[in-house]
């Protein structure tokens, strides 16, 4: 999404004023990081919406028409929510210089992709302390852990191995061990993704044969109401 960069309000006056510009207090940066890591009123909805939006942006960048995979599953650690794309994948340079940097985005010069503020890749930290990432880029599969650090978020690379699988990225977030949390994730999948076309749902209690009807100024998905 193209963002207008110059938003300063012009102010003409014959009088000169003495003033200072606002800045972030260096000694209170821990509060700033807390705000950045949890800016959402609905963290689960944000996780579902933001990461799936990234998947669609990756497909748009790679010019592929595959379905984005969204899953609610369970393994030896517990229940989890995940989404996977088969787009460009994330190179180590992109992980360092874009994925991990707040406000940095590859989408701020195009209206063909959804994001632009560099927040969505870190949205999982609003719900959990750790986000698991597996990305494949040009024959190498990388496994990362994005986590809340002592002062600010940190990205740790866990594994790196050769692969013949195509490029793409999987985000995996473990669901908190509360009785209604899995239901909340299913409900947010219905709510946040009801107008996203071309998603393959797995174990989400959502019919994959859904159809979106749309007109000039409206959309309707009867399967996700």
């Amino acid at each position: 999404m193209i963002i207008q960069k110059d938003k300063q309000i012009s102010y003409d006056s014959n009088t000169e004023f003495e003033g200072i510009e606002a800045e972030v207090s260096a000694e209170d940066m821990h509060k700033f990081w807390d705000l950045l890591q949890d800016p959402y009123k609905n963290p689960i909805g944000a996780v579902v919406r933001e990461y799936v939006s990234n998947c669609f942006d990756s497909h748009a960048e790679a010019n592929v028409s595959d379905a984005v995979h969204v899953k609610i599953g369970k393994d030896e650690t517990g229940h989890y929510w995940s989404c996977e794309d088969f787009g460009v994948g994330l190179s180590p340079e992109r992980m360092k210089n874009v994925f991990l940097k707040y406000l940095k985005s590859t989408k701020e010069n195009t209206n063909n992709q959804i994001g632009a503020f560099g927040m969505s890749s870190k949205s999982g930290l609003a719900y959990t302390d750790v986000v698991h990432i597996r990305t494949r880029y040009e024959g190498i599969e990388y496994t990362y852990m994005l986590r809340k650090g002592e002062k600010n978020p940190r990205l740790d690379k866990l594994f790196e191995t050769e692969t013949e699988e195509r490029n793409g990225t999987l985000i995996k977030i473990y669901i908190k061990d509360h009785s209604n949390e899995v239901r909340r994730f299913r409900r947010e999948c219905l709510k946040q993704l009801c107008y996203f076309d071309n998603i393959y749902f797995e174990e989400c209690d959502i019919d994959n044969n859904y159809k979106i009807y749309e007109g000039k100024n409206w959309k309707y998905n009867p399967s996700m109401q």
Side-chain angles (χ1 to χ4, degrees), residues 66-85:
D66 301 69
V68 171
H69 286 206
V70 174
K71 180 178 181 179
I72 296 176
K74 186 178 183 181
D75 58 19
E76 63 278 1
T77 301
H79 285 94
Y80 64 85
W81 176 91
S82 68
C83 63
E84 182 175 12
D85 70 64

Side-chain angles (χ1 to χ4, degrees), residues 136-141 162-168:
R136 298 170 179 144
Y137 179 78
E138 302 301 321
I140 303 294
E141 180 176 295
E162 293 184 358
T163 181
E164 295 183 358
E165 298 288 340
R166 60 190 291 193
N167 289 358

Side-chain angles (χ1 to χ4, degrees), residues 161-175:
T161 184
E162 293 184 358
T163 181
E164 295 183 358
E165 298 288 340
R166 60 190 291 193
N167 289 358
T169 300
L170 180 141
I171 301 292
K172 185 176 185 180
I173 292 175
Y174 282 96
I175 299 173

